[in-house]
Amino acid sequence: MENDIDIKGGYIMHELIAQPKMLLVVIVYLIALVGTGAYFAKKAAVKKEGKEDFFLAGRGLGKIVAVGTILATYTGGGTVTGGGNSLAFNYGLWSGLFFTICPVISMSVLCYLTPKIRESNCYTVSQLLETKYGSKARTISAVIIALAMVSYQYRGLGFILNATTGIPTTYCTIICCALVIVLALSGGLKTVATTDAMSAFLMVGGLAIGFPVLISTVGGWDWVISSAQANDPESLTFFGGQTLLKWVGGYLPLILLTCSDQNYYQRIVAAKDVKTARVGLMGTMLACFVIMPVVACYAFISRQYFGTSIAAGQALIGAATLLPTIIGGIVLSAAAAFTITTGDSYLLSAAANFCIDLYSKINPNATEKEELKVSRAFILIAGVVAYIILTFFPSILAIQYWSYTIYGAGITPAVVGALVWKKATKAGGISSMIIGCGLSIIWEATGSPFGLQTIFVAFPIALITLVAVSLATQPKSE
C-alpha cells in the first residue's frame, strides 16, 4: 500500500498513497448528508419556518440528537485534524491522551451553567451579554466572535479528499468550502443538528472498529513503541519535550472557549428542557473518553509510520488509508462529516451574530423573512472570507490556537461573569472584552514575547480587568 521512500531524522518515511476506492464510501455518506440538508430545506419552506426554527431548531432537540450534535460540535474538525490529533503527532502519545481533560472540565462547567443559559432565552452569546452590559457590549462581542470563527474545517476536509483522490490539497479545500456553505444554507440548526448526530455516531463506531485493525496492519503495538523508542524516545515521555507551561497551554484555550462558545449555548437553548441539555453534555463527556484516546493513538501510529512526510493535520487521515477499504472509508467518511458539520456550525453561529446582533440594529423593522435572507447571504460571504483567512495560517493547530485564544480571552470572562457574578458591571464587562481581544491580537502579532503563550497573558488580564473595573464602578447605595 505504501512504499519506503526515505529515512530522515531517524524516521522510516512512507509515502501517503491516495485510496480512490475509499472515496466511494465517502461520497455515499456525503450524498446522505446533502440529502438530509435538502429534506430539511424543503420542509422549512413548506412550513414557512422562522428565525427560531432556523437558529434554534424550534427548541425541540431530543436527547439522542442533543448528544450527537454537542459531541460532533466538540469533537469535530478540530479533533480530526488539530487538537489531540496534532498534539499526539507533534509531542507524543501522552499529550494526545490527556486532551481528554478538556471535555471533562468544560462539559462540567456547562452542565452547571445550563439552567442560567436557558433562562437567558437568547439566540446568541452577544444577546446574553447585552442583558448584563448593554447594547455596546452586544456589538463588541459580535465583532470578536466573528474574528474567532475562522473555519479551519475546510482544510481538514481537503486533506481527506487529497488522501482519496490525490488531487492537490488546495483544490480539495476549495471544493470543501463550497460543500460546507451549501449545507449551512439549507435548513439551519435542524439540518446541522441531525447531520451532527449521524456523523458523531458514525465516528465513534468507525474509530473503534478500525483501531485494532490498524494496530495489526502496522505490525502490532510492540512495533509502534519500539519505533518510537528508536526514532524519538522523547515522544514517549509525559510532556513530550514540552515545558509544563506549554503543555497546559495546549489545553487551556479550548477549555476557555467551550465554557462560553455560542455553538454550545445555542444547542443548550435548543434542547427540549434542562434535563435533555445536560444529557447531551454528559453524553459528550463520556463519548470523549473513547474518541480522544483512540484519535491520539491513530495520530501516534501515523507519526511512526509516515514520519514527517505528512503534516500533523493529516495524521488520523493518513492512518485511515492503511485500513481495509470499507473500514478506512467509514473512518474517512466520519472524519469528513465531522469537518463539514463543524464548519456548518461555525457559519450558522456567525450568521446568527450578524443577523440578530448587528442587522437588527441597522434595520429594526426587518421582517423574519428579510432576516433569514440576510443570514443566508452572510453565510455565503462569511464562508468565502473564512477560506481566504485560512490561507494565511501555516497549520490547523495554529488556526485553532488563534480562534480559541481570542474567544477564550475576549468573551469567556465577560460571559461567565454575566451568568454567575451579580457585581459584574457594564464598564467591567466591556473593558474585559476589549482588553482580552486586543491583547490576544497584539501578543500574537509581536511573536509572543518572552516565549509566553498568548492565553497566559490575555485571559488573566481580561479576568482581572472584569473584576477590578466592576468593583470600581459599583452603583452607589441610596
Short mmCIF file of all heavy atoms in Angstrom, two decimals, residues 377-411:
data_model
loop_
_atom_site.label_atom_id
_atom_site.label_comp_id
_atom_site.label_asym_id
_atom_site.label_seq_id
_atom_site.Cartn_x
_atom_site.Cartn_y
_atom_site.Cartn_z
N ALA A 377 -27.30 35.21 3.07
CA ALA A 377 -26.31 35.97 2.30
C ALA A 377 -25.01 36.09 3.09
O ALA A 377 -23.91 35.96 2.54
CB ALA A 377 -26.85 37.36 1.98
N PHE A 378 -25.14 36.29 4.42
CA PHE A 378 -23.95 36.39 5.27
C PHE A 378 -23.19 35.08 5.29
O PHE A 378 -21.96 35.06 5.27
CB PHE A 378 -24.34 36.79 6.69
CG PHE A 378 -23.17 36.86 7.63
CD1 PHE A 378 -22.38 38.00 7.70
CD2 PHE A 378 -22.83 35.77 8.42
CE1 PHE A 378 -21.29 38.06 8.55
CE2 PHE A 378 -21.75 35.81 9.27
CZ PHE A 378 -20.97 36.97 9.33
N ILE A 379 -23.91 33.95 5.36
CA ILE A 379 -23.27 32.64 5.36
C ILE A 379 -22.41 32.47 4.11
O ILE A 379 -21.27 31.99 4.18
CB ILE A 379 -24.32 31.52 5.45
CG1 ILE A 379 -24.90 31.45 6.88
CG2 ILE A 379 -23.71 30.16 5.08
CD1 ILE A 379 -26.07 30.49 7.02
N LEU A 380 -22.95 32.87 2.98
CA LEU A 380 -22.20 32.76 1.72
C LEU A 380 -20.93 33.62 1.75
O LEU A 380 -19.83 33.15 1.44
CB LEU A 380 -23.09 33.19 0.55
CG LEU A 380 -22.45 33.20 -0.84
CD1 LEU A 380 -21.94 31.81 -1.21
CD2 LEU A 380 -23.44 33.70 -1.88
N ILE A 381 -21.08 34.87 2.17
CA ILE A 381 -19.93 35.79 2.20
C ILE A 381 -18.91 35.35 3.25
O ILE A 381 -17.71 35.29 2.99
CB ILE A 381 -20.40 37.23 2.48
CG1 ILE A 381 -21.28 37.72 1.33
CG2 ILE A 381 -19.21 38.17 2.68
CD1 ILE A 381 -22.00 39.03 1.62
N ALA A 382 -19.40 35.02 4.45
CA ALA A 382 -18.50 34.62 5.54
C ALA A 382 -17.76 33.34 5.20
O ALA A 382 -16.59 33.17 5.57
CB ALA A 382 -19.29 34.43 6.84
N GLY A 383 -18.44 32.41 4.50
CA GLY A 383 -17.78 31.17 4.11
C GLY A 383 -16.61 31.40 3.19
O GLY A 383 -15.55 30.78 3.34
N VAL A 384 -16.76 32.33 2.26
CA VAL A 384 -15.67 32.66 1.33
C VAL A 384 -14.54 33.39 2.06
O VAL A 384 -13.36 33.10 1.87
CB VAL A 384 -16.19 33.51 0.15
CG1 VAL A 384 -15.04 33.97 -0.73
CG2 VAL A 384 -17.21 32.72 -0.66
N VAL A 385 -14.92 34.35 2.93
CA VAL A 385 -13.91 35.10 3.69
C VAL A 385 -13.11 34.16 4.60
O VAL A 385 -11.89 34.30 4.74
CB VAL A 385 -14.58 36.21 4.53
CG1 VAL A 385 -13.57 36.84 5.49
CG2 VAL A 385 -15.17 37.28 3.61
N ALA A 386 -13.79 33.18 5.19
CA ALA A 386 -13.11 32.22 6.07
C ALA A 386 -12.05 31.45 5.29
O ALA A 386 -10.96 31.19 5.80
CB ALA A 386 -14.12 31.25 6.68
N TYR A 387 -12.36 31.11 4.06
CA TYR A 387 -11.37 30.41 3.22
C TYR A 387 -10.16 31.30 2.95
O TYR A 387 -9.00 30.84 3.01
CB TYR A 387 -11.99 29.97 1.89
CG TYR A 387 -10.95 29.47 0.91
CD1 TYR A 387 -10.40 28.19 1.06
CD2 TYR A 387 -10.47 30.28 -0.11
CE1 TYR A 387 -9.42 27.74 0.20
CE2 TYR A 387 -9.49 29.83 -0.97
CZ TYR A 387 -8.96 28.56 -0.81
OH TYR A 387 -7.98 28.13 -1.65
N ILE A 388 -10.41 32.56 2.67
CA ILE A 388 -9.30 33.49 2.40
C ILE A 388 -8.40 33.63 3.63
O ILE A 388 -7.17 33.60 3.53
CB ILE A 388 -9.85 34.88 1.97
CG1 ILE A 388 -10.59 34.75 0.63
CG2 ILE A 388 -8.72 35.90 1.86
CD1 ILE A 388 -11.36 35.99 0.22
N ILE A 389 -9.01 33.78 4.81
CA ILE A 389 -8.24 33.90 6.06
C ILE A 389 -7.43 32.64 6.29
O ILE A 389 -6.27 32.69 6.73
CB ILE A 389 -9.18 34.16 7.25
CG1 ILE A 389 -9.84 35.54 7.10
CG2 ILE A 389 -8.41 34.09 8.58
CD1 ILE A 389 -10.89 35.83 8.15
N LEU A 390 -8.02 31.50 5.96
CA LEU A 390 -7.37 30.21 6.17
C LEU A 390 -6.01 30.12 5.46
O LEU A 390 -5.07 29.50 5.96
CB LEU A 390 -8.30 29.11 5.64
CG LEU A 390 -7.81 27.66 5.69
CD1 LEU A 390 -7.68 27.18 7.12
CD2 LEU A 390 -8.79 26.76 4.94
N THR A 391 -5.90 30.76 4.31
CA THR A 391 -4.67 30.67 3.52
C THR A 391 -3.48 31.33 4.19
O THR A 391 -2.34 31.11 3.79
CB THR A 391 -4.87 31.29 2.12
OG1 THR A 391 -5.19 32.69 2.27
CG2 THR A 391 -6.00 30.61 1.38
N PHE A 392 -3.73 32.15 5.22
CA PHE A 392 -2.64 32.87 5.88
C PHE A 392 -2.03 32.08 7.04
O PHE A 392 -1.04 32.52 7.63
CB PHE A 392 -3.12 34.22 6.39
CG PHE A 392 -3.42 35.21 5.30
CD1 PHE A 392 -4.70 35.36 4.80
CD2 PHE A 392 -2.40 35.97 4.74
CE1 PHE A 392 -4.98 36.26 3.78
CE2 PHE A 392 -2.66 36.88 3.72
CZ PHE A 392 -3.95 37.03 3.24
N PHE A 393 -2.61 30.95 7.41
CA PHE A 393 -2.12 30.20 8.57
C PHE A 393 -1.31 28.98 8.11
O PHE A 393 -1.72 28.26 7.19
CB PHE A 393 -3.28 29.74 9.45
CG PHE A 393 -3.92 30.85 10.23
CD1 PHE A 393 -4.96 31.59 9.68
CD2 PHE A 393 -3.47 31.18 11.49
CE1 PHE A 393 -5.55 32.62 10.38
CE2 PHE A 393 -4.06 32.21 12.21
CZ PHE A 393 -5.10 32.93 11.65
N PRO A 394 -0.17 28.71 8.76
CA PRO A 394 0.70 27.61 8.33
C PRO A 394 0.16 26.23 8.67
O PRO A 394 0.50 25.26 8.02
CB PRO A 394 2.01 27.89 9.08
CG PRO A 394 1.57 28.62 10.33
CD PRO A 394 0.42 29.46 9.89
N SER A 395 -0.65 26.13 9.73
CA SER A 395 -1.15 24.81 10.15
C SER A 395 -2.51 24.95 10.79
O SER A 395 -2.91 26.04 11.22
CB SER A 395 -0.19 24.15 11.15
OG SER A 395 -0.23 24.83 12.39
N ILE A 396 -3.23 23.83 10.87
CA ILE A 396 -4.55 23.84 11.51
C ILE A 396 -4.43 24.14 12.99
O ILE A 396 -5.25 24.86 13.57
CB ILE A 396 -5.26 22.49 11.27
CG1 ILE A 396 -5.68 22.41 9.79
CG2 ILE A 396 -6.47 22.33 12.17
CD1 ILE A 396 -6.32 21.11 9.39
N LEU A 397 -3.38 23.61 13.64
CA LEU A 397 -3.20 23.87 15.06
C LEU A 397 -3.00 25.36 15.32
O LEU A 397 -3.50 25.90 16.31
CB LEU A 397 -1.99 23.08 15.59
CG LEU A 397 -1.95 22.82 17.10
CD1 LEU A 397 -3.17 22.05 17.56
CD2 LEU A 397 -0.69 22.06 17.47
N ALA A 398 -2.29 26.04 14.42
CA ALA A 398 -2.08 27.49 14.56
C ALA A 398 -3.40 28.25 14.44
O ALA A 398 -3.65 29.21 15.17
CB ALA A 398 -1.09 27.97 13.50
N ILE A 399 -4.27 27.82 13.50
CA ILE A 399 -5.57 28.46 13.33
C ILE A 399 -6.41 28.26 14.58
O ILE A 399 -7.06 29.19 15.08
CB ILE A 399 -6.32 27.88 12.12
CG1 ILE A 399 -5.47 27.99 10.86
CG2 ILE A 399 -7.64 28.60 11.91
CD1 ILE A 399 -6.01 27.19 9.71
N GLN A 400 -6.44 27.03 15.09
CA GLN A 400 -7.21 26.74 16.28
C GLN A 400 -6.76 27.59 17.45
O GLN A 400 -7.58 28.15 18.18
CB GLN A 400 -7.06 25.26 16.66
CG GLN A 400 -7.88 24.31 15.81
CD GLN A 400 -7.75 22.90 16.34
OE1 GLN A 400 -6.66 22.36 16.46
NE2 GLN A 400 -8.86 22.30 16.64
N TYR A 401 -5.44 27.68 17.62
CA TYR A 401 -4.93 28.43 18.76
C TYR A 401 -5.35 29.89 18.66
O TYR A 401 -5.73 30.51 19.66
CB TYR A 401 -3.40 28.33 18.82
CG TYR A 401 -2.83 28.88 20.09
CD1 TYR A 401 -2.91 28.15 21.27
CD2 TYR A 401 -2.25 30.15 20.14
CE1 TYR A 401 -2.42 28.66 22.46
CE2 TYR A 401 -1.76 30.67 21.32
CZ TYR A 401 -1.84 29.92 22.48
OH TYR A 401 -1.38 30.44 23.65
N TRP A 402 -5.30 30.45 17.46
CA TRP A 402 -5.72 31.83 17.24
C TRP A 402 -7.18 32.03 17.61
O TRP A 402 -7.53 32.92 18.40
CB TRP A 402 -5.49 32.19 15.77
CG TRP A 402 -6.29 33.36 15.26
CD1 TRP A 402 -7.50 33.31 14.63
CD2 TRP A 402 -5.96 34.75 15.36
NE1 TRP A 402 -7.94 34.56 14.31
CE2 TRP A 402 -7.01 35.48 14.75
CE3 TRP A 402 -4.89 35.45 15.89
CZ2 TRP A 402 -7.01 36.86 14.66
CZ3 TRP A 402 -4.90 36.84 15.78
CH2 TRP A 402 -5.94 37.52 15.18
N SER A 403 -8.08 31.21 17.04
CA SER A 403 -9.51 31.40 17.26
C SER A 403 -9.91 31.10 18.70
O SER A 403 -10.69 31.84 19.30
CB SER A 403 -10.31 30.53 16.29
OG SER A 403 -10.04 29.16 16.48
N TYR A 404 -9.36 30.02 19.28
CA TYR A 404 -9.70 29.67 20.65
C TYR A 404 -9.24 30.73 21.64
O TYR A 404 -9.94 31.06 22.61
CB TYR A 404 -9.05 28.34 21.03
CG TYR A 404 -9.59 27.12 20.30
CD1 TYR A 404 -10.60 27.22 19.35
CD2 TYR A 404 -9.06 25.85 20.55
CE1 TYR A 404 -11.07 26.11 18.69
CE2 TYR A 404 -9.52 24.73 19.89
CZ TYR A 404 -10.53 24.86 18.96
OH TYR A 404 -10.99 23.75 18.30
N THR A 405 -8.05 31.28 21.40
CA THR A 405 -7.49 32.26 22.33
C THR A 405 -8.26 33.57 22.31
O THR A 405 -8.58 34.14 23.36
CB THR A 405 -6.00 32.52 22.02
OG1 THR A 405 -5.28 31.29 22.15
CG2 THR A 405 -5.41 33.53 22.99
N ILE A 406 -8.57 34.05 21.11
CA ILE A 406 -9.33 35.31 21.02
C ILE A 406 -10.68 35.17 21.71
O ILE A 406 -11.12 36.05 22.45
CB ILE A 406 -9.53 35.71 19.53
CG1 ILE A 406 -8.25 36.35 19.00
CG2 ILE A 406 -10.67 36.69 19.39
CD1 ILE A 406 -8.39 36.93 17.62
N TYR A 407 -11.34 34.05 21.48
CA TYR A 407 -12.65 33.84 22.09
C TYR A 407 -12.52 33.63 23.60
O TYR A 407 -13.25 34.22 24.39
CB TYR A 407 -13.32 32.62 21.45
CG TYR A 407 -14.82 32.57 21.64
CD1 TYR A 407 -15.68 32.85 20.58
CD2 TYR A 407 -15.38 32.25 22.87
CE1 TYR A 407 -17.06 32.80 20.74
CE2 TYR A 407 -16.76 32.21 23.04
CZ TYR A 407 -17.60 32.48 21.98
OH TYR A 407 -18.96 32.44 22.15
N GLY A 408 -11.56 32.78 23.99
CA GLY A 408 -11.41 32.46 25.41
C GLY A 408 -11.04 33.67 26.26
O GLY A 408 -11.51 33.80 27.40
N ALA A 409 -10.22 34.58 25.70
CA ALA A 409 -9.82 35.77 26.45
C ALA A 409 -10.80 36.93 26.27
O ALA A 409 -11.06 37.68 27.22
CB ALA A 409 -8.42 36.20 26.01
N GLY A 410 -11.34 37.06 25.06
CA GLY A 410 -12.20 38.20 24.79
C GLY A 410 -13.64 38.04 25.21
O GLY A 410 -14.33 39.04 25.48
N ILE A 411 -14.13 36.81 25.26
CA ILE A 411 -15.55 36.59 25.53
C ILE A 411 -15.82 35.86 26.85
O ILE A 411 -16.70 36.25 27.62
CB ILE A 411 -16.19 35.77 24.38
CG1 ILE A 411 -16.12 36.56 23.07
CG2 ILE A 411 -17.63 35.41 24.70
CD1 ILE A 411 -16.95 37.82 23.03
#
